[in-house]
């Protein structure tokens, strides 16, 4: 009986290994989070290839710490924020380029948001969706890949799940568009709900 249980655990771990992308820390910020916390959810909320804005939920013992790592422009786009031909615009562009070229770290772009006990925070609301075992977008068997071109180009939703021994990268192409227009997928629905929980909380702290 014990052998069967052990074999079952090994099989589950093997399946997870095949459906999740395990990576190494890609910058000093990820290295620090891996060292200082038990587990961290790092959510990239501007992920169309421009920059690295993160909402960070990091757990140590019974406490959960909330941080932002963000561009001075927040959403990266200057657009109609300032006159086209102006010194203000030039300065904003310069500041944004400095942000893009800076490796994420504990620096001026990093800020504390809140600290709560784990049982009184959104940590419990997120983990009920079993995020640590979700399948990466590239490995979802039920996705209708022929439908991807019909969705709006909303870019990729990227999560990095950081623990002491590994970093799992989960990436999903426009999950909301996929589920609204294409074949429904439960994993994408879970990701959408997790994002809503995170955004609602961090927006309440602005």
């Amino acid at each position: 009986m014990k052998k069967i249980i052990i074999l079952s655990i090994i099989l589950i771990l093997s399946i997870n290994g095949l459906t999740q992308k395990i990576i190494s820390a890609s910058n000093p910020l990820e290295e620090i989070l891996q060292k200082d916390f038990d587990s961290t959810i790092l959510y990239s909320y501007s992920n169309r290839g421009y920059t690295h804005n993160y909402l960070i939920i990091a757990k140590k013992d019974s406490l959960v710490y909330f941080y932002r790592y963000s561009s001075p422009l927040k959403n990266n786009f200057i657009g109609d924020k300032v006159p086209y031909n102006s010194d203000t615009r030039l300065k904003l562009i310069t500041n944004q380029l400095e942000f893009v070229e800076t490796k994420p770290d504990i620096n001026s772009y990093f800020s504390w948001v809140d600290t709560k006990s784990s049982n009184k925070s959104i940590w419990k609301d997120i983990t009920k969706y079993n995020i640590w075992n979700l399948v990466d977008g590239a490995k979802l068997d039920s996705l209708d890949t022929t439908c991807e071109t019909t969705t709006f180009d909303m870019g990729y939703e990227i999560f990095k799940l950081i623990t002491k021994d590994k970093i799992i990268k989960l990436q999903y192409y426009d999950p909301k568009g996929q589920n609204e227009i294409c074949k429904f997928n439960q994993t994408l629905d879970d990701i959408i709900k997790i994002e809503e929980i995170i955004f609602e909380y961090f927006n309440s702290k602005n």
Side-chain angles (χ1 to χ4, degrees):
M1 185 66 180
K2 287 183 178 179
K3 288 183 178 180
I4 294 174
I5 294 173
I6 292 171
L7 287 173
S8 299
I9 292 171
I10 292 172
L11 179 60
I12 291 170
L13 291 174
S14 299
I15 291 171
N16 279 344
L18 293 172
T19 58
Q20 295 180 330
K21 186 176 182 180
I22 309 299
I23 63 171
S24 300
S26 61
N27 54 58
L29 177 58
E30 291 175 11
E31 291 175 357
I32 291 170
L33 293 172
Q34 188 167 36
K35 175 180 176 291
D36 286 353
F37 297 93
D38 300 327
S39 49
T40 299
I41 299 169
L42 189 152
Y43 172 50
S44 174
Y45 66 93
S46 61
N47 39 43
R48 300 186 190 183
Y50 299 123
T51 55
H52 30 245
N53 285 318
Y54 302 133
L55 298 177
I56 302 163
I57 307 168
K59 185 174 181 293
K60 176 70 174 177
D61 299 326
S62 62
L63 291 177
V64 179
Y65 302 81
F66 298 85
Y67 305 100
R68 280 192 184 91
Y69 184 90
S70 59
S71 159
L73 289 178
K74 304 302 181 187
N75 64 0
N76 304 318
F77 299 105
I78 295 173
D80 59 358
K81 294 180 175 68
V82 292
Y84 182 76
N85 188 16
S86 66
D87 288 340
T88 305
R89 186 183 187 87
L90 179 61
K91 185 62 178 175
L92 284 177
I93 292 172
T94 300
N95 290 345
Q96 181 65 3
L97 288 174
E98 288 177 2
F99 172 76
V100 171
E101 293 169 0
T102 300
K103 280 194 173 185
D105 203 337
I106 307 299
N107 53 33
S108 59
Y109 304 118
F110 182 88
S111 61
W112 171 83
V113 174
D114 199 5
T115 302
K116 285 185 172 294
S117 64
S118 58
N119 61 356
K120 294 182 179 179
S121 74
I122 61 170
W123 183 267
K124 58 181 175 53
D125 300 319
I126 293 171
T127 53
K128 75 179 182 182
Y129 291 104
N130 207 19
I131 187 171
W132 302 95
N133 292 311
L134 289 183
V135 177
D136 180 65
K139 305 294 178 67
L140 291 176
D141 294 333
S142 59
L143 271 187
D144 181 3
T145 54
T146 61
C147 180
E148 195 168 280
T149 56
T150 68
T151 64
F152 293 105
D153 183 16
M154 297 300 291
Y156 287 89
E157 304 298 331
I158 300 172
F159 289 84
K160 289 185 180 179
L161 311 177
I162 304 172
T163 56
K164 295 290 187 184
D165 61 334
K166 64 182 176 182
I167 299 176
I168 299 169
K169 181 179 179 181
L170 299 176
Q171 180 171 297
Y172 305 93
Y173 175 78
D174 187 9
K176 191 169 185 179
Q178 289 281 348
N179 264 7
E180 287 179 350
I181 301 172
C182 310
K183 184 178 179 181
F184 176 84
N185 182 276
Q186 187 58 56
T187 296
L188 295 184
D189 191 58
D190 289 344
I191 285 296
I192 293 166
K193 289 172 181 173
I194 290 169
E195 290 170 352
E196 288 173 349
I197 291 168
I198 293 174
F199 274 124
E200 182 179 357
Y201 183 78
F202 276 89
N203 286 340
S204 72
K205 299 299 177 181
N206 285 338

